[in-house]
Amino acid sequence: MSVQRGKYGVDAPAVLAGMAAGGVAEIALAFVLFAVGWPIPAVVLLIGGAVLAVSAVIYAHTTLRGKFRVWDGELDRLGLRGDEHVLDLGCGRGLVLLKAAARLPDGRVTGLDLWTGDQSGNSQEATRANARAEGVADRVELETGDMRALPFPDASFDLIVSSLAIHNIPDAADRATAVREAYRVLRPGGRLRVADFRHARDYAEVLRECGAVDIEVRDLGWRFWYGGPHAKTAMLAATRP
């Protein structure tokens, strides 16, 4: 199952543009230096430009295709019944939110976001349009809110997901607060899945302190690299007993 009909934008488009532009510029300058007889700096620039260009290709694949496939696999492995209540923290334009909704004919999904951040075109209106395009608008609710103070009662959700969102909170103590809030609104027996390329092990430690079980942090592989293995994404999995 793969969501394809909505428009999900690009993660941190300025970073991708910078990689691509830098790679092209360095390769072009390398050829100029070859032409004027400076082979050593030309080779250095050519290698650097090639690395940036390849990084840009990997980044583009991740943000436009790879993360879609990874989340399909993650949601399939959860074996959802179809009637769960799911919360997506920092849902953005709805990639994970709507993939979950497609698997829940009798359930509900709630997306929470501040509708800012570094995803291109991030807005509540864009997410609603994607929900309509995917045919799941009837089971989707959107909330404007802060992960550090979730506007939901305790034990409200069967599953909480988040993709590349919690790291946007700049302060470590505030990130820990967001993780504790996620645990608070998770029902007994509920599961948590957080994909992030920073701080995943810190989140895991907070969940241990909260009493979570079945905690696992694992690498999601090259399809979730933002330019290369230096920016790989990890999946945090946990369960509330």
Side-chain angles (χ1 to χ4, degrees):
M1 183 181 295
S2 179
V3 173
Q4 296 293 340
R5 293 178 292 276
K7 297 178 180 178
Y8 296 96
V10 174
D11 298 317
V15 175
L16 176 57
M19 282 182 183
V24 170
E26 289 193 13
I27 291 170
L29 183 55
F31 280 107
V32 171
L33 293 179
F34 276 123
V36 299
W38 291 0
I40 293 177
V43 169
V44 172
L45 279 172
L46 186 61
I47 293 172
V51 169
L52 279 174
V54 170
S55 295
V57 171
I58 294 171
Y59 190 117
H61 177 270
T62 291
T63 195
L64 297 174
R65 184 179 177 87
K67 65 179 183 180
F68 290 67
R69 303 295 177 259
V70 171
W71 272 108
D72 275 330
E74 291 296 322
L75 292 170
D76 286 344
R77 277 190 290 275
L78 284 167
L80 298 172
R81 300 182 308 270
D83 62 352
E84 291 90 345
H85 288 191
V86 177
L87 172 64
D88 186 352
L89 297 175
C91 66
R93 295 176 66 166
L95 166 65
V96 184
L97 179 78
L98 303 182
K99 282 183 175 296
R103 292 163 168 81
L104 301 173
D106 300 310
R108 299 289 300 174
V109 299
T110 300
L112 180 130
D113 208 301
L114 291 173
W115 315 108
T116 58
D118 57 5
Q119 184 183 52
S120 63
N122 187 24
S123 70
Q124 191 170 131
E125 292 74 21
T127 308
R128 291 192 189 283
N130 283 341
R132 292 191 294 270
E134 304 296 352
V136 296
D138 60 323
R139 64 197 81 156
V140 173
E141 298 176 357
L142 299 177
E143 295 275 353
T144 299
D146 191 323
M147 286 184 269
R148 296 167 293 185
L150 294 176
F152 310 112
D154 295 355
S156 296
F157 298 97
D158 302 292
L159 171 66
I160 296 176
V161 297
S162 183
S163 189
L164 302 172
I166 299 177
H167 77 269
N168 287 317
I169 300 173
D171 182 75
D174 285 346
R175 290 192 296 272
T177 297
V179 174
R180 291 188 192 98
E181 276 289 275
Y183 191 78
R184 177 182 67 80
V185 301
L186 194 62
R187 290 172 177 162
R191 293 173 287 179
L192 179 77
R193 294 293 184 273
V194 175
D196 219 331
F197 63 89
R198 297 178 190 148
H199 315 303
R201 296 196 180 279
D202 295 336
Y203 308 156
E205 185 57 35
V206 173
L207 288 169
R208 287 189 186 93
E209 294 170 0
C210 290
V213 298
D214 300 329
I215 298 171
E216 177 188 23
V217 178
R218 53 190 165 79
D219 180 16
L220 288 175
W222 69 272
R223 292 182 301 175
F224 229 130
W225 286 359
Y226 280 88
H230 60 284
K232 62 186 179 180
T233 304
M235 178 64 75
L236 167 64
T239 301
R240 180 164 186 167

